[in-house]
Amino acid sequence: MDSLGHAWQSIVIRDATCETDGKLLELCSRCGQMKQTATPKGEHQYKTYPVAATCMNPGYTVRECSVCGDRHIEDITSVLPHNYESHVIAATCEGGGKTIHRCDGCGSSFVTDYTDSLGHSWDKGTLVTNATCTGEGVMEYRCTRCGYHRIEGNEAAGHVPGNDATCTQPQLCTKCGAVLKNVLGHDYKSEVTAPTCTEMGYTTNTCARCGDTTKTDYTEPAGHKPGDWIIDKEPTTDSEGSKHKECTVCGEKLEAQPIEKIYNSATTDSKGEAIVGGYLVTVTDTDTKNPVANAAVALHKDNSISIRLPNSRLLDYADQTTVTVQLVKDKSAVPDMSIAVTDKNDNYASGKTDKAGQITVPTGSGKTNEDGKVTTGYEDADGDRWTLTVKVIRTDTKRPISGSAVSIGKTGNITVKLPDGTDLDAKHQVTVIVTDHKKAPQQGKNVTVKGDLGQSAVGKTDKNGELTVPEVEQTERHGVYIVGYTDGTFGPSRSMTRAEAAAIFARLLAEKNGDTISTAANTKFADIPAHAWYSGYVKYLSNNGITYGKSKTIFAPNDAITRAEFTTMAVRFFDVYGSGDAEIMEQFSGFNDVSSGYWAAEYIKYAALHGWINGYGDGSFHADREINRAEVITIVNRLLGREADEDYIADNLRKLNTFPDVSRKHWAYYAVMEAANAHTAILGDSESWSK
């Protein structure tokens, strides 16, 4: 059998090019035999194309084989020269001019002939907005070449001040009417005119700047205070005398009376005897029987006898005087004769002689004379004897009430029975004045005054020995001067700002004066905006000379007020308020941390002397420590003499303002209730609230 022969398959190892033979690898698919054969190289097939010369590059001819890419450059020509054309750009308002030289062939360029910008050619401008006192005006300017426009502002013209600010008028700009300087407010200086007997008292507030005056705090006339009788003319046996009373305050002559002429008068001798008319009058010491010499004895036309004891002797229940009257002709006793005895202190006792022609004075009862006086006495349980002179007068007119029957019981209680026809009611009060025979006021004496219609009033004499009956209920309105916070609490331990303190005192003073406080006001303090809630309060106090600042222009309304600052404000408030509790507490001896040179030392001393403030147990005051709200209302209540009615509060708690953080056990509970609840206070030994 013949051989099959190789079945060759060709694999290209390298393609033939124009310059290199190619290679084939032949592989028998049956036996795997290999052999390498060559493929003949080809020939270049060149193509030529020219590249023209430019301004930037030379020209040349390119010969390139289309088969293998072999490339040759030949026939090189020189670079062509630039062909520049000039383009002139004119100058504008904001840009300069120039000439641009640009080659039309390659586009390269260069610049020459620079010129400056022309600048804008502005017109005269158009007014957009006029300038005001505080705002700029606006002008618009436009360039006549390019149309560009710009805006310029004209300076504000500035205010043209008008008349200076006064107490009631601000300084205004005459051009725009703006307020340049706020109203100054009155700077009142107060001068108190005390009431006279017939004219009301008042306080004149004169503004130191403008002279404006107002009158406030009117007080009722004091009323005349009659003195003792003044003898104008002594009576004689031939003519009447005269006497009058003057007011001890103003000296006005109040009333005059004649003094009956003396029918007979004499002075007791060393035996105590004097003869007047047909009567022998003997004056002796009741206990010792010793004669009383130099007593003036007068017989009057109504056949009564008056005796003026010598200056060395007073009407005295512990040392009584006996007067004996006898007929001269037979020394027989003269009964039922009216005898009146007085002394240098105007003590007075009277009565009628008994069957023995005698009268002993003073006794335990008697009737008031024309001066409303009578001198009586009593003996206490220890056997001590006391002498009292009782004077009964009309409260409003100070006129004496004569003919009042006065008696003193064994315990010293005094009973006054008014004469028939004498009214005793709220519109017709009676004042009883009790002294000893040496004119010393007697405090704490029980007195009962009875009228002719069964009326009766009782009471005790005060430190001046006086009692006025019937007692008329005196009331005053106590408004709320402090409130709690929006969450319902009071904050007793929280500090208080200076603005809050000013609000308290302003509310109190305005309520008393019947004033309304503006809700917004301009003040002299730069840090108080007119719309601030407290501006009206500060302005009101400033007008009354109470407020003071950290400086002339700084009030610091939101600063916590210190104990010294609040005390100072309280004292200045009291000077203007003019009423309240000013009883001196003499035990004050000073605080060990307040020196005499401290700025508020005098205010602190004044408040402590009046019992408004207290220090701490170690004798200190801590003047610069912040004061808390509980301490504030305690001081204000003391200053005003206000105190809570504990019984009323207990019975009406649901009707009152209360605070969850001030319980009944809190030390300032009742002080807070007094300050935070409006009520009508009935004044007396202690305050009670009207039901």
Side-chain angles (χ1 to χ4, degrees):
M1 181 181 289
D2 293 334
S3 62
L4 297 175
H6 292 291
W8 301 106
Q9 291 182 345
S10 297
I11 299 172
V12 178
I13 296 174
R14 182 181 66 204
D15 288 330
T17 68
C18 298
E19 296 180 349
T20 307
D21 291 336
K23 286 185 179 183
L24 291 175
L25 176 64
E26 292 183 292
L27 176 65
C28 178
S29 61
R30 282 192 289 268
C31 66
Q33 184 179 346
M34 292 184 299
K35 70 175 180 175
Q36 184 174 311
T37 60
T39 57
K41 65 179 179 180
E43 292 184 357
H44 289 298
Q45 297 181 15
Y46 286 108
K47 291 183 179 180
T48 63
Y49 59 88
V51 176
T54 67
C55 305
M56 302 293 291
N57 298 301
Y60 52 86
T61 299
V62 177
R63 295 177 66 243
E64 185 174 14
C65 176
S66 61
V67 177
C68 68
D70 180 59
R71 190 179 191 192
H72 299 277
I73 295 175
E74 53 190 30
D75 301 330
I76 297 173
T77 60
S78 299
V79 175
L80 299 177
H82 288 295
N83 182 21
Y84 287 111
E85 288 189 5
S86 298
H87 301 277
V88 177
I89 297 175
T92 65
C93 296
E94 295 183 347
K98 58 187 174 182
T99 299
I100 299 176
H101 303 277
R102 180 176 290 108
C103 176
D104 288 341
C106 67
S108 66
S109 65
F110 65 93
V111 179
T112 62
D113 302 329
Y114 285 98
T115 59
D116 294 332
S117 59
L118 301 176
H120 291 296
S121 176
W122 301 110
D123 62 11
K124 293 182 178 179
T126 303
L127 178 65
V128 177
T129 304
N130 284 317
T132 65
C133 296
T134 57
E136 292 184 338
V138 177
M139 289 287 291
E140 181 184 40
Y141 297 90
R142 191 170 295 276
C143 178
T144 57
R145 272 194 295 269
C146 69
Y148 179 79
H149 70 94
R150 64 183 173 87
I151 300 295
E152 283 190 4
N154 297 330
E155 288 186 0
H159 290 298
V160 179
N163 295 330
D164 290 338
T166 66
C167 298
T168 57
Q169 295 294 326
Q171 184 183 47
L172 303 178
C173 173
T174 58
K175 189 173 181 181
C176 70
V179 176
L180 305 185
K181 191 171 183 181
N182 292 330
V183 173
L184 301 178
H186 292 298
D187 181 16
Y188 284 117
K189 305 299 180 185
S190 298
E191 181 180 356
V192 177
T193 299
T196 66
C197 299
T198 57
E199 300 291 334
M200 298 181 75
Y202 53 87
T203 298
T204 303
N205 306 297
T206 303
C207 179
R209 276 190 289 269
C210 69
D212 178 70
T213 60
T214 61
K215 291 183 178 180
T216 59
D217 300 332
Y218 284 92
T219 56
E220 294 297 324
H224 291 299
K225 293 185 179 180
D228 296 327
W229 288 107
I230 298 173
I231 304 300
D232 299 314
K233 179 183 177 183
E234 293 288 353
T236 67
T237 55
D238 298 322
S239 63
E240 291 182 335
S242 61
K243 60 182 179 179
H244 73 276
K245 284 187 177 181
E246 294 180 355
C247 175
T248 57
V249 178
C250 68
E252 181 178 338
K253 187 175 181 179
L254 303 180
E255 61 177 311
Q257 285 188 8
I259 303 175
E260 65 177 348
K261 66 181 180 179
I262 299 174
Y263 292 87
N264 276 295
S265 64
T267 302
T268 57
D269 57 20
S270 59
K271 296 179 181 180
E273 296 179 347
I275 295 176
V276 288
Y279 301 107
L280 171 63
V281 179
T282 305
V283 183
T284 60
D285 183 298
T286 302
D287 294 330
T288 66
K289 310 301 181 184
N290 292 330
V292 176
N294 298 316
V297 181
L299 175 65
H300 304 283
K301 66 180 180 180
D302 61 356
N303 209 39
S304 65
I305 292 175
S306 63
I307 299 171
R308 176 80 170 193
L309 296 177
N311 289 341
S312 59
R313 188 173 182 83
L314 296 177
L315 280 169
D316 188 348
Y317 193 70
D319 185 16
Q320 291 172 297
T321 299
T322 297
V323 177
T324 304
V325 182
Q326 298 172 303
L327 291 176
V328 175
K329 62 182 180 179
D330 57 8
K331 298 292 181 72
S332 60
V334 179
D336 206 34
M337 175 172 273
S338 295
I339 308 294
V341 182
T342 59
D343 61 22
K344 66 178 181 180
N345 286 343
D346 292 324
N347 295 312
Y348 168 84
S350 65
K352 290 189 176 183
T353 56
D354 59 16
K355 292 180 180 180
Q358 292 185 335
I359 181 175
T360 297
V361 290
T363 62
S365 62
K367 286 191 175 183
T368 56
N369 63 1
E370 60 186 3
D371 293 329
K373 282 184 176 182
V374 65
T375 301
T376 58
Y378 70 99
E379 183 176 330
D380 63 20
D382 296 327
D384 294 324
R385 290 190 158 205
W386 305 92
T387 305
L388 299 177
T389 293
V390 177
K391 184 175 183 179
V392 185
I393 62 173
R394 275 289 177 205
T395 303
D396 52 356
T397 64
K398 311 301 181 187
R399 299 288 184 183
I401 301 176
S402 61
S404 298
V406 177
S407 60
I408 303 180
K410 293 182 179 181
T411 58
N413 294 334
I414 302 169
T415 300
V416 178
K417 177 66 172 65
L418 300 176
D420 291 346
T422 303
D423 294 325
L424 179 64
D425 53 43
K427 294 182 179 180
H428 303 88
Q429 290 178 287
V430 171
T431 296
V432 178
I433 305 168
V434 182
T435 65
D436 66 8
H437 59 310
K438 296 180 180 179
K439 295 188 175 182
Q442 299 298 294
Q443 184 177 1
K445 294 298 181 181
N446 294 316
V447 179
T448 300
V449 180
K450 297 181 178 181
D452 62 346
L453 299 178
Q455 316 98 304
S456 180
V458 298
K460 287 182 180 290
T461 55
D462 60 18
K463 63 182 179 180
N464 298 316
E466 297 183 5
L467 169 68
T468 296
V469 292
E471 183 178 357
V472 176
E473 188 175 88
Q474 293 183 340
T475 63
E476 66 182 18
R477 187 65 180 167
H478 287 178
V480 173
Y481 66 81
I482 194 169
V483 295
Y485 293 96
T486 54
D487 63 358
T489 63
F490 181 78
S493 299
R494 292 176 60 167
S495 62
M496 175 172 286
T497 67
R498 290 168 54 82
E500 290 172 330
I504 285 177
F505 289 120
R507 290 183 190 121
L508 289 169
L509 186 60
E511 182 181 37
K512 180 188 178 188
N513 293 340
D515 294 335
T516 300
I517 298 178
S518 173
T519 55
N522 293 309
T523 72
K524 65 181 180 181
F525 299 111
D527 58 346
I528 296 183
H531 62 275
W533 68 267
Y534 49 80
S535 62
Y537 295 123
V538 175
K539 177 65 175 293
Y540 184 75
L541 292 188
S542 181
N543 286 348
N544 285 278
I546 296 172
T547 49
Y548 61 94
K550 297 281 189 176
S551 68
K552 290 184 178 180
T553 57
I554 300 299
F555 184 74
N558 296 316
D559 285 3
I561 194 166
T562 66
R563 287 168 60 84
E565 289 173 332
F566 187 83
T567 299
T568 299
M569 192 178 291
V571 172
R572 293 163 70 104
F573 163 80
F574 185 81
D575 286 343
V576 176
Y577 193 82
S579 64
D581 188 357
E583 185 174 352
I584 300 297
M585 307 284 286
E586 296 295 349
Q587 63 266 31
F588 172 69
S589 59
F591 297 114
N592 57 31
D593 60 344
V594 179
S595 66
S596 59
Y598 185 67
W599 69 270
E602 289 303 312
Y603 290 111
I604 293 171
K605 178 180 179 182
Y606 185 90
L609 281 171
H610 288 76
W612 302 336
I613 60 174
N614 294 320
Y616 295 91
D618 61 357
S620 63
F621 181 67
H622 294 298
D624 296 321
R625 179 179 293 177
E626 294 177 1
I627 194 168
N628 65 45
R629 287 164 59 85
E631 291 172 329
V632 163
I633 53 99
T634 301
I635 290 174
V636 173
N637 286 345
R638 287 176 184 161
L639 181 148
L640 297 176
R642 288 174 58 162
E643 58 181 319
D645 183 341
E646 297 182 13
D647 292 337
Y648 182 90
I649 291 172
D651 294 339
N652 298 274
L653 196 59
R654 292 185 178 181
K655 301 178 182 178
L656 302 176
N657 296 323
T658 58
F659 305 96
D661 56 343
V662 183
S663 70
R664 293 185 184 181
K665 295 181 179 180
H666 193 282
W667 68 268
Y669 173 72
Y670 288 109
V672 172
M673 296 299 286
E674 170 68 33
N677 290 280
H679 55 275
T680 298
I682 302 172
L683 306 182
D685 293 336
S686 61
E687 177 183 326
S688 59
W689 292 8
S690 173
K691 304 274 191 300

